[in-house]
Amino acid sequence: MTSKIPVSILGATGTVGQKFVRLLADHPWFEVAAVAASSASAGRAYGEAVRWREQTELPERIAGLTVQPCTPPLPGPIVFSALDADAAGPIEQAFARDGAFVVTNARNHRMDPDVPLLIPEANADHLVLIDGQRQHRGWKGAILANPNCSTAGLVLALAPLHQAFGIEKIFVSTMQAVSGAGYPGVPSLDIVGNVIPHVGGEEEKMEGESRKILGRLDPDGVTPADFLVSAHTNRVAVVDGHLETVSVGFRRRVSPDEAIATLRAFRASPCVADLPSSPTPPVEIDLRSDRPQPRLDLERGRGMAVTVGRIRPCPILDLRMVLLGHNTVRGAAGQAVQIAELLVADGRVGARP
Ligand SMILES: NC(=O)c1ccc[n+]([C@@H]2O[C@H](COP(=O)([O-])OP(=O)(O)OC[C@H]3O[C@@H](n4cnc5c(N)ncnc54)[C@H](OP(=O)(O)O)[C@@H]3O)[C@@H](O)[C@H]2O)c1
């Protein structure tokens, strides 16, 4: 072991769990000390239990770790959760009660009033919610949540516009990759050559979560932003990357040039911008007429940037645009790692090496 901060991964065998393993393999501050999953995997070597789908080699040291059951304690102050939502609730609570900072990708606790739902570039100030959470619940640790993968890209792109102009209405239609459904996910006979115009629960999540993230932090918690959101979600035959077409209405008229200048100038606060996982810039603008595209633009900012294009007037609302976010990096493991980095930079966990 090195002087890095040990961390554990719950649900390490799944799609998001594997992305955690890959992103943490050579992380400057963190080192994977334990991997955990269901009773079907526990007790086996990780390299045997996992059906490794990442395009890099599984690191030998991690392949040799024995998969643990998802019961506390596991090593380290930070536990990343990539658990199926059916199992996540009580398991994550048990770890937080036991003293771990649980950074979760599951939906179970996202809308709890005392759980911060974070996109560090947009609302790092919501982190303080964990103080009340620990106090009220009597926990030594805390739960911090990552938004749903479609919400993460949408809100990162719209946060600068909301700050500058005030959003009143959002109309969004998604084209979501199959990896968003985990592994093995959507049967190939359902999705190849097809579009499925329904992603269970996703529209409600986008509508509620975006308002919480861009809400105002008050002494009693977060007052949700008061804009309206209408979301249509679709599953398409793309492996990774959620593309979203968006129309936005503002409190005043906003021209495409104003929006482009605002998005180009957007930078995270210095504390967030300096985190190892933070991309610079967080929002990339590509004004070529046929961009962004999942196959060509997904890895911008190592999967942590959102790419926005086709910014033009909308005859119904004010502006329309297309955006692309990486569902398992910005929308899941990558941003969860960034949130854990924020905990360290904020002095709440250990010391960075
Ligand atoms: N995929 C995405 O793009 C994405 C994006 C954002 C958020 N999320 C959320 O992230 C979480 C993980 O998603 P995923 O796509 O990685 O799912 P997945 O591929 O189905 O993986 C699920 C993981 O949970 C474990 N698990 C299942 N039941 C369990 C139980 N009863 N006890 C302990 N472990 C259990 C599985 O272990 P075994 O292998 O041992 O069964 C596996 O490691 C979900 O809550 C999902 O909604 C996913």
Side-chain angles (χ1 to χ4, degrees), residues 45-81:
Y46 181 72
E48 289 168 15
V50 73
R51 195 177 163 98
W52 185 250
R53 311 305 298 163
E54 290 292 324
Q55 288 168 351
T56 54
E57 284 295 306
L58 171 59
E60 211 173 304
R61 185 186 70 80
I62 296 177
L65 292 175
T66 301
V67 179
Q68 303 295 315
C70 291
T71 44
L74 286 174
I78 295 168
V79 170
F80 294 108
S81 171

Side-chain angles (χ1 to χ4, degrees), residues 11 13-16 37-38 41 82-85 87 105-106 149 179-180 182-183 327-328 331-332:
T13 48
T15 302
V16 176
S38 79
S41 306
L83 286 172
D84 200 275
N105 291 288
C149 43
S179 63
Y183 190 86
N327 53 298
T328 61

Side-chain angles (χ1 to χ4, degrees), residues 284-305:
E284 296 210 8
I285 303 294
D286 192 326
L287 296 177
R288 285 173 284 182
S289 57
D290 61 352
R291 305 294 273 272
Q293 295 180 22
R295 202 188 294 162
L296 301 178
D297 301 308
L298 198 58
E299 296 300 330
R300 292 183 183 211
R302 290 167 288 125
M304 285 293 283

Side-chain angles (χ1 to χ4, degrees), residues 95-136:
F95 275 92
R97 197 177 300 118
D98 191 63
F101 288 92
V102 180
V103 186
T104 180
N105 291 288
R107 66 170 182 266
N108 308 60
H109 295 289
R110 287 183 191 142
M111 296 306 286
D112 292 2
D114 58 353
V115 170
L117 182 61
L118 294 166
I119 295 180
E121 288 88 345
N123 68 340
D125 57 323
H126 292 198
L127 185 67
V128 297
L129 288 175
I130 61 174
D131 296 336
Q133 183 194 135
R134 299 172 82 185
Q135 200 181 348
H136 298 143

Side-chain angles (χ1 to χ4, degrees), residues 6-316:
V7 297
S8 296
I9 305 170
L10 309 177
T13 48
T15 302
V16 176
Q18 293 182 38
K19 191 65 81 180
F20 273 122
V21 169
R22 175 174 172 177
L23 294 176
L24 291 167
D26 51 8
H27 192 278
W29 298 357
F30 302 136
E31 180 159 74
V32 177
V35 287
S38 79
S39 54
S41 306
R44 301 166 68 194
Y46 181 72
E48 289 168 15
V50 73
R51 195 177 163 98
W52 185 250
R53 311 305 298 163
E54 290 292 324
Q55 288 168 351
T56 54
E57 284 295 306
L58 171 59
E60 211 173 304
R61 185 186 70 80
I62 296 177
L65 292 175
T66 301
V67 179
Q68 303 295 315
C70 291
T71 44
L74 286 174
I78 295 168
V79 170
F80 294 108
S81 171
L83 286 172
D84 200 275
D86 290 344
I91 293 176
E92 292 172 352
Q93 289 176 29
F95 275 92
R97 197 177 300 118
D98 191 63
F101 288 92
V102 180
V103 186
T104 180
N105 291 288
R107 66 170 182 266
N108 308 60
H109 295 289
R110 287 183 191 142
M111 296 306 286
D112 292 2
D114 58 353
V115 170
L117 182 61
L118 294 166
I119 295 180
E121 288 88 345
N123 68 340
D125 57 323
H126 292 198
L127 185 67
V128 297
L129 288 175
I130 61 174
D131 296 336
Q133 183 194 135
R134 299 172 82 185
Q135 200 181 348
H136 298 143
R137 302 198 193 204
W139 289 350
K140 288 185 276 176
I143 294 176
L144 303 93
N146 222 358
N148 144 274
C149 43
S150 307
T151 308
L154 176 74
V155 174
L156 178 58
L158 294 187
L161 300 177
H162 185 57
Q163 285 165 12
F165 309 116
I167 290 176
E168 282 189 333
K169 291 176 184 168
I170 301 170
F171 180 90
V172 55
S173 212
T174 68
M175 285 148 268
Q176 301 182 216
V178 286
S179 63
Y183 190 86
V186 191
S188 56
L189 284 181
D190 288 348
I191 194 67
V192 174
N194 201 14
V195 174
I196 300 171
H198 173 68
V199 182
E202 200 90 341
E203 291 166 359
E204 297 80 357
K205 288 183 215 164
M206 292 183 79
E207 292 168 9
E209 292 177 17
S210 55
R211 296 177 66 229
K212 178 173 178 181
I213 298 163
L214 293 180
R216 194 183 59 238
L217 184 69
D218 290 325
D220 295 336
V222 173
T223 304
D226 63 359
F227 50 69
L228 297 172
V229 185
S230 172
H232 298 249
T233 55
N234 304 284
R235 185 77 70 195
V236 298
V238 165
V239 176
D240 286 317
H242 291 355
L243 195 77
E244 307 181 25
T245 54
V246 192
S247 284
V248 192
F250 299 96
R251 291 199 193 112
R252 71 163 175 87
R253 270 226 175 276
V254 178
S255 71
D257 285 346
E258 278 179 290
I260 291 166
T262 301
L263 291 172
R264 281 208 168 116
F266 179 64
R267 292 291 180 275
S269 65
C271 168
V272 171
D274 287 346
L275 300 175
S277 297
S278 295
T280 306
V283 181
E284 296 210 8
I285 303 294
D286 192 326
L287 296 177
R288 285 173 284 182
S289 57
D290 61 352
R291 305 294 273 272
Q293 295 180 22
R295 202 188 294 162
L296 301 178
D297 301 308
L298 198 58
E299 296 300 330
R300 292 183 183 211
R302 290 167 288 125
M304 285 293 283
V306 63
T307 306
V308 182
R310 305 209 64 220
I311 301 173
R312 60 209 194 280
C314 172
I316 296 178

